[in-house]
Amino acid sequence: MNKMSKESLELFYRLDEKKYLVSENEELKIWLEKLEWPYQEEDIQNFIDKLSSWYFVKYPDKYLTNDITVSSSETISFTSGMNFKTLFHSFDTVDLELIQFQGDSKTDHIKELFCQYLFQLIGYEMIYFKNTTPRCGFFRAKLLFRDFNCYFGWKLDTKIYDDIMKKNYSMNNLENLQLLNFLREKQDPNSRKGKKELRRFLHRCRFFD
């Protein structure tokens, strides 16, 4: 994903399905209902937010911006003091329970699958985090997966984000401009700016005589 214009970036964020927000993720709610575990929605949200924030601090933009085009996620490493030991030390009881599934029981297997699903949601949160860039957020997701794949023997793959990271958000595409303005109207019902900008664009492109 190359550097995006202000409008392209706006479209990117407006298309965010907010899967990382427990209150808006119906699939996650179904998980919690069926599993009948003692975790509350707030517990899960805190776990997602904590790991997302940890990687944001561990790999600041000022390093990723310089390194992202020349280093692979296999070799990059910053802030050495922020390791698994210090991360797990910051976890509360619920956080630790969520990553304890080393047994062979069916319950442990299901908990591990559930935890992997949560890590995918953490990746979405990092990508859509507005205090950074989508590209840096994606790179943090790669680092998150790299670290925990090594720790747990998982095979999490950032290809799950290809549909959002490889999508064309360019405003040179009229459909994208129309979609952006539609979302502005839908998400900001009191705003008339979208309609005016679309009309100006159409006039510039001579869609109207």
Side-chain angles (χ1 to χ4, degrees):
M1 176 181 285
N2 297 322
K3 186 176 181 180
M4 302 165 71
S5 69
K6 181 180 178 181
E7 290 78 13
S8 296
L9 200 58
E10 179 185 350
L11 178 60
F12 177 82
Y13 287 120
R14 285 186 180 273
L15 289 172
D16 178 9
E17 296 180 3
K18 296 180 170 58
K19 295 180 179 181
Y20 48 86
L21 295 181
V22 180
S23 62
E24 299 190 31
N25 188 327
E26 296 302 321
E27 183 179 26
L28 179 52
K29 289 181 180 180
I30 292 173
W31 267 92
L32 293 174
E33 289 175 4
K34 289 186 175 182
L35 294 173
E36 297 183 345
W37 286 337
Y39 309 128
Q40 302 298 313
E41 289 186 9
E42 183 179 0
D43 298 327
I44 304 301
Q45 190 66 65
N46 287 339
F47 179 76
I48 292 172
D49 294 343
K50 184 176 293 183
L51 271 166
S52 177
S53 298
W54 176 272
Y55 274 79
F56 181 79
V57 173
K58 185 175 182 179
Y59 300 104
D61 281 10
K62 63 181 180 180
Y63 292 120
L64 292 180
T65 301
N66 294 329
D67 201 277
I68 198 167
T69 58
V70 295
S71 290
S72 74
S73 63
E74 300 303 317
T75 60
I76 192 171
S77 179
F78 300 121
T79 321
S80 59
M82 298 182 71
N83 50 37
F84 278 122
K85 182 178 180 180
T86 54
L87 173 62
F88 294 160
H89 183 72
S90 72
F91 278 177
D92 58 27
T93 302
V94 174
D95 297 328
L96 291 172
E97 286 181 357
L98 283 169
I99 60 170
Q100 290 176 349
F101 39 74
Q102 283 79 12
D104 295 324
S105 68
K106 182 178 179 180
T107 300
D108 284 324
H109 179 63
I110 293 174
K111 182 183 284 188
E112 184 171 9
L113 291 176
F114 177 69
C115 195
Q116 290 183 51
Y117 174 67
L118 293 184
F119 273 76
Q120 293 174 351
L121 302 185
I122 293 165
Y124 280 111
E125 181 166 67
M126 290 192 288
I127 289 170
Y128 283 110
F129 192 45
K130 291 186 178 180
N131 287 344
T132 181
T133 66
R135 195 157 177 254
C136 286
F138 175 76
F139 203 69
R140 289 188 185 95
K142 286 182 72 72
L143 294 165
L144 172 77
F145 285 9
R146 178 202 67 178
D147 291 348
F148 282 87
N149 281 346
C150 290
Y151 190 84
F152 287 121
W154 290 345
K155 295 182 179 179
L156 294 174
D157 195 324
T158 52
K159 287 182 179 180
I160 62 171
Y161 308 118
D162 280 357
D163 60 330
I164 59 175
M165 296 304 297
K166 294 185 178 181
K167 181 179 175 64
N168 176 14
Y169 298 93
S170 172
M171 289 298 107
N172 293 327
N173 184 327
L174 179 59
E175 291 183 0
N176 283 343
L177 184 66
Q178 291 172 329
L179 176 58
L180 175 59
N181 283 284
F182 170 78
L183 293 173
R184 282 171 173 169
E185 290 293 313
K186 181 180 179 182
Q187 297 169 1
D188 305 314
N190 296 322
S191 173
R192 300 299 178 190
K193 181 180 179 181
K195 286 184 177 180
K196 291 180 180 178
E197 290 188 354
L198 177 59
R199 191 168 185 84
R200 283 199 298 269
F201 177 87
L202 293 175
H203 273 293
R204 286 200 306 272
C205 295
R206 299 182 180 178
F207 287 118
F208 291 128
D209 294 326

